[in-house]
Amino acid sequence: MGEYEIKYRLMNEHDIEDVLRIEKSSFATPWTYEAFYNEVVHNQFARYLLIIKGEEVIGYCGLWIVFDDASVTNVAILPKERGNRYGEMLMHQAMEFARAVGGLRLSLEVRTSNHIAQNLYRKLGFESGGIRKNYYADNQEDALVMWVNL
């Protein structure tokens, strides 16, 4: 991780291009500029947390927080920065943020084939809560629902 300072902050509309760069390099069916704009500007339940290394946005985690229930909408780390624990660091921050704003539970969906992410979530205390059949539009892969009490 070296000499770079790691910071976290909430995303605003000026960060969308940086987040899109990560999104497009991470997912087969990336969200659009408009989708992120609507999340950041119009969705009162959405909060997106950024992880910044030096001056570069290297990851993000989207949360929807409705009363005491929080859910992760999407999370990604820039491919060149994966394997350096930034995903784990970001998820810790997201969990703390959700707890700080009144969240009692945090849930997410993860591809059944994504064992690396599942292992991380289990390490953070998430438990398996069921399967959503044909959840992913790009290939109809099932999603494993995971949750943790905050």
Side-chain angles (χ1 to χ4, degrees):
M1 289 183 254
E3 71 271 7
Y4 294 101
E5 180 185 1
I6 300 298
K7 299 177 286 200
Y8 305 91
R9 69 171 168 79
L10 290 175
M11 177 180 169
N12 63 53
E13 64 188 279
H14 304 293
D15 299 310
I16 295 173
E17 290 297 337
D18 287 334
V19 168
L20 269 178
R21 182 171 53 93
I22 300 164
E23 178 81 2
K24 289 176 180 174
S25 67
S26 299
F27 299 110
T29 52
W31 283 21
T32 63
Y33 182 97
E34 292 75 20
F36 281 109
Y37 182 86
N38 285 328
E39 285 288 281
V40 173
V41 175
H42 298 297
N43 184 346
Q44 65 182 2
F45 302 111
R47 298 293 180 274
Y48 282 74
L49 190 62
L50 303 178
I51 182 169
I52 300 160
K53 177 182 173 185
E55 299 300 316
E56 182 182 22
V57 176
I58 62 165
Y60 66 94
C61 179
L63 299 168
W64 281 7
I65 303 165
V66 182
F67 301 111
D68 61 1
D69 200 38
S71 60
V72 173
T73 57
N74 45 8
V75 59
I77 298 293
L78 200 59
K80 70 176 184 166
E81 298 293 352
R82 292 181 191 156
N84 294 315
R85 299 190 56 235
Y86 295 127
E88 181 178 348
M89 294 161 62
L90 179 59
M91 285 301 299
H92 271 294
Q93 286 293 130
M95 292 167 70
E96 287 301 317
F97 179 81
R99 184 181 297 117
V101 297
L104 299 179
R105 286 170 305 284
L106 180 62
S107 64
L108 54 79
E109 290 88 11
V110 58
R111 288 179 186 270
T112 53
S113 64
N114 191 346
H115 300 291
I116 292 173
Q118 290 173 36
N119 289 339
L120 169 62
Y121 301 142
R122 284 190 184 92
K123 180 179 178 181
L124 295 171
F126 282 79
E127 298 177 22
S128 298
I131 298 285
R132 293 197 202 280
K133 289 293 207 186
N134 306 315
Y135 183 79
Y136 292 96
D138 62 338
N139 66 355
Q140 282 65 57
E141 184 174 352
D142 295 345
L144 175 63
V145 179
M146 301 184 81
W147 62 273
V148 64
N149 287 321
L150 299 172

